[in-house]
Amino acid sequence: IGYFTNWLGLTLLFRPVEPKICCWGYMNLQGVFLKRQQQVSQELSKMICQHLVRAGKMLEYVVKRKDHLDKVMQIYESHIRDAVDKSLPGSIKALAPRIYGDGTIDNLKKEIIDETLKELPNHSAEIETYMDRAFDLQQTLAFRLSRLHPSRFEGMLHPIFQEDEWMVLLLGAFLGVCVGAIQAYLLGA
């Protein structure tokens, strides 16, 4: 009986997938996780964002992949160069090469890029906090998960449990046999 009750309990977590209204509209039958999809989505997204997908992990991924890092560096350098161009008045852009020689502005841009890259690691915690806040991954993920069709939500969540279902069922069967044997012994059968 332990095997059956565990099987029934695990089945009722996900079945029925679609809401089934019965008893003249007084009862809604739907899998427990699916009925609580909003709350499960919030908790699942919280766990995913705390342990898997967060700014620190994304930055770590980019740094470890040379092709991604090169693209990010190109974008960074382009933005710094544009920022320097926008911040320097036209008169300085025109006079600097005459006074200090050709390439002065380009050397300035290179120095700014080099100095900011040296200083960047000292601010990684603030950068990660800003990225987490700006991306708002937890809310975005929770919003999207909560709006999945119940069959897609079940299809995403159920495989997580299926891997260990056999163990829970076997444990339930074993405990059922043990409790049954103890009851039989105590009742003198």
Side-chain angles (χ1 to χ4, degrees):
I1 192 107
Y3 179 87
F4 174 74
T5 56
N6 280 5
W7 172 83
L8 183 62
L10 287 172
T11 301
L12 291 177
L13 287 175
F14 298 102
R15 299 282 187 260
V17 173
E18 298 291 333
K20 306 285 186 217
I21 307 298
C22 59
C23 298
W24 302 279
Y26 289 105
M27 193 172 192
N28 175 11
L29 294 177
Q30 189 177 18
V32 175
F33 278 146
L34 303 172
K35 191 182 284 188
R36 298 175 61 208
Q37 185 171 345
Q38 301 290 323
Q39 184 181 0
V40 171
S41 297
Q42 286 289 332
E43 292 300 319
L44 185 60
S45 64
K46 181 179 174 184
M47 185 188 71
I48 288 171
C49 290
Q50 283 178 349
H51 300 289
L52 298 174
V53 182
R54 57 180 206 274
K57 293 284 185 186
M58 288 187 271
L59 288 172
E60 184 179 309
Y61 176 79
V62 168
V63 169
K64 287 183 178 179
R65 301 272 316 257
K66 178 139 176 58
D67 55 329
H68 291 335
L69 184 60
D70 290 343
K71 288 177 188 173
V72 169
M73 290 305 298
Q74 288 173 353
I75 293 168
Y76 179 74
E77 289 178 11
S78 171
H79 281 289
I80 294 292
R81 290 177 191 285
D82 289 346
V84 170
D85 285 338
K86 288 177 184 174
S87 65
L88 289 177
S91 57
I92 291 181
K93 289 182 201 173
L95 290 175
R98 291 184 186 146
I99 297 172
Y100 299 109
D102 288 335
T104 303
I105 302 294
D106 288 334
N107 289 339
L108 175 66
K109 291 175 187 177
K110 175 117 177 70
E111 281 184 45
I112 291 172
I113 290 168
D114 291 344
E115 288 302 315
T116 54
L117 286 175
K118 281 182 198 172
E119 190 63 29
L120 207 57
N122 298 331
H123 302 281
S124 61
E126 292 93 347
I127 293 168
E128 288 176 21
T129 301
Y130 170 77
M131 286 176 65
D132 281 332
R133 213 176 41 246
F135 291 154
D136 199 15
L137 285 175
Q138 184 174 338
Q139 288 306 314
T140 303
L141 188 58
F143 176 80
R144 297 223 172 138
L145 286 173
S146 68
R147 278 150 183 79
L148 282 176
H149 187 272
S151 62
R152 293 195 62 171
F153 190 71
E154 187 269 343
M156 180 196 72
L157 210 58
H158 199 175
I160 297 168
F161 292 87
Q162 281 178 327
E163 186 175 318
D164 293 325
E165 267 182 12
W166 69 272
M167 192 182 317
V168 172
L169 294 174
L170 190 63
L171 182 61
F174 175 74
L175 290 174
V177 167
C178 291
V179 168
I182 291 170
Q183 284 178 337
Y185 174 76
L186 292 175
L187 294 175

